[in-house]
Amino acid sequence: NAGVTQTPKFQVLKTGQSMTLQCAQDMNHNSMYWYRQDPGMGLRLIYYSASEGTTDKGEVPNGYNVSRLNKREFSLRLESAAPSQTSVYFCASNAKTGAKNIQYFGAGTRLSVL
Amino acid sequence: RKEVEQDPGPFNVPEGATVAFNCTYSNSASQSFFWYRQDCRKEPKLLMSVYSSGNEDGRFTAQLNRASQYISLLIRDSKLSDSATYLCVVNDWNKIIFGKGTRLHILP
């Protein structure tokens, strides 16, 4: 019953440090997503991967890179963290039936950049 | 017009009352619609899909009005545990669009 698993749950970085957020899903979904959520801004899409081996930019990709390592795993990397990247990050995977896309989210990573 | 718009609230409603909120969308070709629930500091979770004919799940009723391009969520006999943020989600064929959410506080 794991669903979508994100690690770490919390992280504090100094400006300029790098880190990778990990995400794995065990539902055999093709599509995976990374969002950030800030107060008053709602969920904003950073990157997504429609299938293994493909990645595409979302609404706010600057400052981030992603890797779709295999069907299960989709990681998000901050190469040089900035205070503006302080946020809650959610990974999601997608079950698609026709036009119906249902997203399943991980528990989130709370990141603070000082 | 924004792709998906919701009243941010908060809606402060006494326990046991009925509350309803709407979500408007801009793309008339949108294919499918959902309500998600997000508790404070937690991830969003699917609450229910929204069908053209309207659908119920216990105390929750969802409606779709394609002519006016909005969906609605009605909660009857509200409970303290219904306090959360409710996100409207609209699917175009290749795009998933989240509203910013409506905050609901149920008051004892």
Side-chain angles (χ1 to χ4, degrees):
Chain A
N1 282 349
V4 180
T5 303
Q6 285 184 240
T7 55
K9 287 187 166 40
F10 301 93
Q11 184 70 50
V12 178
L13 294 177
K14 294 180 180 177
T15 297
Q17 286 185 314
S18 62
M19 79 160 295
T20 299
L21 281 63
Q22 307 287 354
C23 176
Q25 53 93 7
D26 62 2
M27 296 175 282
N28 202 36
H29 291 162
N30 285 321
S31 301
M32 297 184 73
Y33 301 77
W34 276 105
Y35 295 90
R36 60 178 289 174
Q37 189 174 39
D38 303 290
M41 299 295 291
L43 285 163
R44 291 186 290 169
L45 182 64
I46 305 171
Y47 271 94
Y48 68 100
S49 170
S51 62
E52 186 178 350
T54 69
T55 60
D56 286 285
K57 294 179 181 179
E59 183 186 352
V60 288
N62 290 344
Y64 306 94
N65 286 302
V66 290
S67 295
R68 183 74 183 268
L69 304 167
N70 48 55
K71 192 170 187 179
R72 289 188 65 246
E73 297 172 288
F74 187 38
S75 62
L76 178 73
R77 183 160 178 83
L78 286 70
E79 291 291 351
S80 178
S84 61
Q85 293 178 305
T86 293
S87 189
V88 180
Y89 292 85
F90 289 105
C91 176
S93 70
N94 204 56
K96 186 173 169 73
T97 306
K100 202 169 163 180
N101 289 287
I102 295 177
Q103 297 225 300
Y104 297 86
F105 286 84
T109 296
R110 281 157 183 79
L111 175 67
S112 293
V113 183
L114 307 176
Chain B
R1 185 178 183 181
K2 292 182 182 173
E3 290 181 296
V4 175
E5 282 196 88
Q6 295 184 251
D7 183 340
F11 285 53
N12 296 309
V13 173
E15 191 175 9
T18 295
V19 59
F21 25 84
N22 291 341
C23 163
T24 59
Y25 61 95
S26 61
N27 184 356
S28 60
S30 294
Q31 305 271 335
S32 54
F33 308 87
F34 306 89
W35 284 103
Y36 279 65
R37 171 193 168 125
Q38 185 173 22
D39 293 301
C40 188
R41 301 181 69 77
K42 299 281 191 179
E43 73 273 23
K45 292 184 179 177
L46 178 67
L47 178 65
M48 58 197 300
S49 301
V50 186
Y51 301 115
S52 298
S53 54
N55 49 296
E56 272 190 28
D57 183 0
R59 298 182 292 108
F60 297 82
T61 300
Q63 297 272 0
L64 166 63
N65 185 316
R66 281 198 182 271
S68 299
Q69 294 181 214
Y70 73 87
I71 67 171
S72 64
L73 180 68
L74 179 85
I75 306 174
R76 289 182 300 279
D77 187 23
S78 53
K79 312 289 184 194
L80 294 175
S81 57
D82 294 333
S83 295
T85 297
Y86 291 85
L87 306 175
C88 165
V89 180
V90 174
N91 284 182
D92 298 342
W93 189 254
N94 289 317
K95 202 172 171 186
I96 304 166
I97 307 160
F98 282 82
K100 293 183 180 180
T102 297
R103 283 189 297 146
L104 175 64
H105 294 156
I106 304 300
L107 307 173

